[in-house]
């Protein structure tokens, strides 16, 4: 039994809970209502399984987080932010969380299943690992809308990369993995010391959600953990290639970090590689901080329009105050010339280029 876990957060199954929890916790959904089909993916501390709900036969992606592993890896803050962001969100381009519950050992997030899997994989099957410019425009536009929604709700996503973009059966994108997301205070996530003051909502969750279980864990890590936890843990390229200069400098950052990553994403989708990749981590960081973005002309990559290059230059402005989106958010990006062909309100009803 885990003491102090209130019912209204993760519902505790009677069979796993102690009597006092059971009395106030008539549970609805639990792990026994699902049949595990196969492993979909593995993260730092959790695994995602394809599962089928027994009574409805509906498929879900079940994220299973081991409490012991989370405590060992000091990952509890990520769990809370992910749960908070998912609970607070309802948008066609963000993965939906249908249920969350826990047993004595694990925490479960029952998520919308995206049959197309990681966008990263779809990309790998394309020649040169890049897409046509009109295709890139479509996906980047969907990402812009997803980020706009998160920002409007006060969250900074901070972890955009092709591995965190899933493809739904309809071919539309769904952002996932919100454990690095942050509730911003006045739009700014301050990372320098003193440590960040969580927003009211965050404080409330810290205290109440996982109760003494989280309270007993070490205090939240300084924000340098973005570096530590942000690395892609498998053989893929590191997330460090997506880090904005102000995060590397550690001087505090705003929602503009997400617009920087949109620039990196657009570049990677168009050119098949990220713009500042160096031989090692330090070289990459130096490039991010000092090197201006270059647009190579090679036989293998199709020509890229000046409008696209212009947008990427504006998104990859080293100085965040000069970056597109810094002042007026997504609106500045949506009104850029490169997005002229995009009918923003109709995007979710359009047929995407890569339907799984
Ligand atoms: N991998 C991680 N999350 C997933 C999801 N929701 N659907 C499909 N594959 C996934």
């Amino acid at each position: 039994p885990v003491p102090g876990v209130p019912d209204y957060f993760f519902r505790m199954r009677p069979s796993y809970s102690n009597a006092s929890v059971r009395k106030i916790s008539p549970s609805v959904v639990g792990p026994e209502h699902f049949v595990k089909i196969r492993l979909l993916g593995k993260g730092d501390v959790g695994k995602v399984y394809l599962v089928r709900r027994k009574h409805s036969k509906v498929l879900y992606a079940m994220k299973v987080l081991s409490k012991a592993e989370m405590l060992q890896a000091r990952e509890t803050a990520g769990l809370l932010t992910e749960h908070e962001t998912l609970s607070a969100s309802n948008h066609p381009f963000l993965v939906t969380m249908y249920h969350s519950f826990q047993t004595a050992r694990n925490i479960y997030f029952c998520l919308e299943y995206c049959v197309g899997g990681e966008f990263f994989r779809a990309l790998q099957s394309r020649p040169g690992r890049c897409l046509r410019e009109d295709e890139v425009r479509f996906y980047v536009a969907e990402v812009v809308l997803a980020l706009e929604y998160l920002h409007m709700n006060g969250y900074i996503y901070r972890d955009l990369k092709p591995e965190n973009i899933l493809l739904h059966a309809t071919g539309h994108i769904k952002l996932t993995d919100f454990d690095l997301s942050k509730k911003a205070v006045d739009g700014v996530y301050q990372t320098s010391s003193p440590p960040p003051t969580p927003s009211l909502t965050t404080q409330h969750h810290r205290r109440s959600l996982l109760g003494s279980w989280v309270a007993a864990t070490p205090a939240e890590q300084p924000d340098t953990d973005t570096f530590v936890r942000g690395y892609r843990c498998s053989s893929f390229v590191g997330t460090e290639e997506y880090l904005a200069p102000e995060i590397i400098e550690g001087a505090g950052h705003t929602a503009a970090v997400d617009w920087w990553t949109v620039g990196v994403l657009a570049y990677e989708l168009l050119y098949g590689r990220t713009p500042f990749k160096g031989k090692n981590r330090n070289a990459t960081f130096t490039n991010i901080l000092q090197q201006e973005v270059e647009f190579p002309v090679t036989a293998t990559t199709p020509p890229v329009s000046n409008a696209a290059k212009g947008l990427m230059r504006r998104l990859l402005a080293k100085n965040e105050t000069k970056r597109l989106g810094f002042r007026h958010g997504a609106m500045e990006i949506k009104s850029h010339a490169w997005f002229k062909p995009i009918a923003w309100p109709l995007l979710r009803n359009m047929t995407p280029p890569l339907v799984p």
Side-chain angles (χ1 to χ4, degrees):
V2 181
V5 181
D7 164 54
Y8 52 81
F9 181 49
F10 300 113
R11 290 178 198 279
M12 194 166 231
R13 296 297 304 157
S15 52
Y16 304 100
S17 62
N18 61 31
S20 63
V21 172
R22 184 160 65 232
K23 237 187 274 173
I24 50 163
S25 171
S27 301
V28 183
V29 188
E32 67 275 27
H33 291 143
F34 300 87
V35 180
K36 203 185 270 184
I37 298 175
R38 67 182 167 89
L39 186 70
L40 287 172
K42 238 173 138 173
D44 294 355
V45 288
K47 291 180 179 150
V48 182
Y49 293 95
L50 174 63
V51 299
R52 179 180 286 118
R53 182 108 195 242
K54 285 178 187 166
H55 80 107
S56 66
K57 309 281 187 264
V58 173
L59 294 173
Y60 295 96
M62 184 77 85
K63 186 165 186 169
V64 185
L65 300 148
S66 149
K67 290 179 181 177
E69 281 173 37
M70 268 189 295
L71 286 177
Q72 211 172 17
R74 300 181 172 197
E75 289 276 358
T76 49
L79 158 80
L80 294 187
T81 49
E82 175 153 36
H83 186 271
E84 186 192 334
T85 315
L86 280 166
S87 314
S89 301
N90 174 19
H91 191 272
F93 302 149
L94 300 182
V95 92
T96 303
M97 181 171 72
Y98 292 99
H99 310 284
S100 60
F101 40 82
Q102 64 176 317
T103 61
R105 257 191 212 175
N106 296 323
I107 282 160
Y108 299 82
F109 291 163
C110 180
L111 307 169
E112 181 171 23
Y113 173 52
C114 300
V115 73
E118 289 176 5
F119 193 56
F120 182 72
R121 303 246 169 247
L123 203 59
Q124 293 214 308
S125 64
R126 296 291 292 252
R129 298 210 288 147
C130 51
L131 303 178
R132 283 201 326 263
E133 192 168 324
D134 56 328
E135 296 172 329
V136 175
R137 183 170 17 242
F138 179 88
Y139 291 114
V140 172
E142 295 207 330
V143 167
V144 167
L145 288 186
L147 293 175
E148 176 182 41
Y149 174 85
L150 282 172
H151 292 179
M152 300 276 261
N153 281 307
Y155 293 98
I156 308 176
Y157 181 49
R158 309 203 302 175
D159 203 16
L160 186 66
K161 53 184 170 177
E163 291 89 325
N164 283 348
I165 302 172
L166 300 175
L167 285 177
H168 190 253
T170 55
H172 290 278
I173 64 133
K174 301 265 177 185
L175 290 194
T176 187
D177 244 334
F178 295 94
D179 57 336
L180 289 188
S181 75
K182 276 283 165 191
K183 186 96 183 164
V185 179
D186 295 331
V188 179
Y189 181 61
Q190 193 64 45
T191 56
S192 48
S193 52
T197 316
S199 66
L200 257 186
T201 333
T202 314
Q203 274 176 357
H204 165 74
H205 280 265
R206 286 278 135 77
R207 259 187 275 112
S208 67
L209 293 185
L210 284 176
S212 54
W213 184 67
V214 165
T217 65
E220 188 180 350
Q221 317 258 300
D223 197 56
T224 46
D225 72 348
T226 304
F227 301 144
V228 180
R229 296 160 54 220
Y231 295 139
R232 296 176 195 191
C233 53
S234 50
S235 54
F236 308 141
V237 248
T239 310
E240 67 230 26
E241 291 161 50
Y242 273 77
L243 289 180
E246 63 268 28
I247 295 191
I248 294 174
E249 284 169 341
H253 54 270
T254 68
V257 297
D258 284 341
W259 302 129
W260 168 278
T261 57
V262 169
V264 180
L265 179 75
Y267 191 104
E268 183 171 6
L269 299 184
L270 286 166
Y271 288 97
R273 64 169 184 87
T274 53
F276 302 111
K277 187 173 168 52
K279 279 199 208 89
N280 52 41
R281 184 184 308 162
N282 275 348
T284 302
F285 285 175
T286 308
N287 291 345
I288 291 171
L289 293 172
Q290 294 172 9
Q291 191 193 79
E292 283 311 313
V293 59
E294 287 167 3
F295 303 107
V297 182
T298 65
T300 51
T301 48
V304 173
S305 72
N306 285 337
K309 290 178 192 167
L311 175 65
M312 285 184 278
R313 267 197 206 98
R314 296 291 318 276
L315 291 171
L316 296 173
K318 312 272 185 218
N319 180 344
E320 62 172 351
T321 62
K322 306 245 165 69
R323 196 172 300 151
L324 202 64
F326 179 79
R327 265 173 224 296
H328 303 292
M331 192 192 78
E332 289 177 16
I333 293 145
K334 287 160 79 177
S335 51
H336 188 274
W338 190 57
F339 285 121
K340 201 144 185 232
I342 296 287
W344 293 99
L346 303 180
L347 204 56
R348 66 175 74 175
N349 299 321
M350 284 169 62
T351 306
L354 308 172
V355 180

